[in-house]
């Protein structure tokens, strides 16, 4: 999969994509990611990409030309399955959406800023709008990183068997069961006996029971 991210702050992504699973996915050649500095597509000598909103009101609007020019450039190199705009009024990101996007070949993510982008971009150039929650971020970069991470970790081959995404919370609409590691006892707090029983059938049953119990207690709306 190839992901193009259009942003005013490419440096914000450097660390996120150069650690852990996101880095490994690129080293394995399964994923490639490129960041495109929107200012490079400014149409004036000040390199600005925003202007006042027609009709007035507080806040600046990201202008149509830099974004349209950038997309034109990128589209001349790739056919996109989706061109995503990060926005608090988009559809809410879910495991299902991430699974769906993980099967795609090329996606582009446009990070919003200021008061938003010129509506004509949303109408004519964006194919999907995604929110990562009911709160407003200062910009779309963190949302783009969250979306990319949740997509990349479920691409086949990115995680090894031990960390398979199939056991993640939400993959079956249930949250994950509790997990334990050594030591067996700390401060008098013991690991549940079933987990050291060596009986895989009992362990699997226990995990499912715990998943259901947790989901009922903590996230009943998932059931
Ligand atoms: N940009 C600002 N807030 C956002 C949110 N909650 N989700 C996605 N993009 C955003």
């Amino acid at each position: 999969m190839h992901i193009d991210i259009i942003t005013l702050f490419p440096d914000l992504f450097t660390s996120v994509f150069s650690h852990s699973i996101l880095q490994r996915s690129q080293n394995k050649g399964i994923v490639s990611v490129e960041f495109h500095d929107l200012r490079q597509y400014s149409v004036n000598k000040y390199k600005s990409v925003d202007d006042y909103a027609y009709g007035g009101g507080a806040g600046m609007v990201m202008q149509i030309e830099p974004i349209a020019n950038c997309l034109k450039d990128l589209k001349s190199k790739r056919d996109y399955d989706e061109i995503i705009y990060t926005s608090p009024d988009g559809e809410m990101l879910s495991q299902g959406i991430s699974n769906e996007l993980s099967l795609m070949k090329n996606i582009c993510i446009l990070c919003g800023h200021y008061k938003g982008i010129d509506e004509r971009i949303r109408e004519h150039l964006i194919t999907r709008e995604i929110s990562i929650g009911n709160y407003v971020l200062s910009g779309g970069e963190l949302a783009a990183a969250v979306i990319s991470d949740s997509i990349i970790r479920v691409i086949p081959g990115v995680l090894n068997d031990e960390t398979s995404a199939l056991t993640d919370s939400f993959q079956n609409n249930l949250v994950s069961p509790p997990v334990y590691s050594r030591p067996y006892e700390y401060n008098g707090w013991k690991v549940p006996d079933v987990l050291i029983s060596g009986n895989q059938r009992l362990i699997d049953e226990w995990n499912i029971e715990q998943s259901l119990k947790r989901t009922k207690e903590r996230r009943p709306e998932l059931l």
Side-chain angles (χ1 to χ4, degrees), residues 37-105:
D37 184 354
L38 193 57
R39 267 183 219 291
Q40 304 297 322
Y41 293 87
S42 165
V43 288
N44 62 50
K45 62 179 176 187
Y46 308 105
K47 295 267 174 231
S48 71
V49 293
D50 58 323
D51 204 345
Y52 295 103
Y54 274 118
M60 305 294 273
V61 175
M62 286 171 77
Q63 291 172 281
I64 195 164
E65 284 156 303
I67 297 173
N69 290 345
C70 179
L71 282 172
K72 192 171 171 200
D73 191 16
L74 297 180
K75 281 176 170 178
S76 71
K77 297 175 200 151
R78 286 191 182 85
D79 283 333
Y80 290 107
D81 299 297
E82 295 283 12
I83 300 177
I84 298 166
Y85 172 53
T86 58
S87 171
D89 61 6
E91 63 183 316
M92 195 67 72
L93 184 65
S94 64
Q95 190 63 56
I97 293 177
S98 300
N99 293 350
E100 183 193 338
L101 293 172
S102 75
L103 302 175
M104 297 185 172
K105 198 160 173 273

Side-chain angles (χ1 to χ4, degrees), residues 85-90 112 130-141 143-144 147:
Y85 172 53
T86 58
S87 171
D89 61 6
I130 296 181
S131 165
I132 63 160
N134 288 333
Y135 42 80
V136 178
L137 301 165
S138 316
E141 280 73 16
I147 295 166

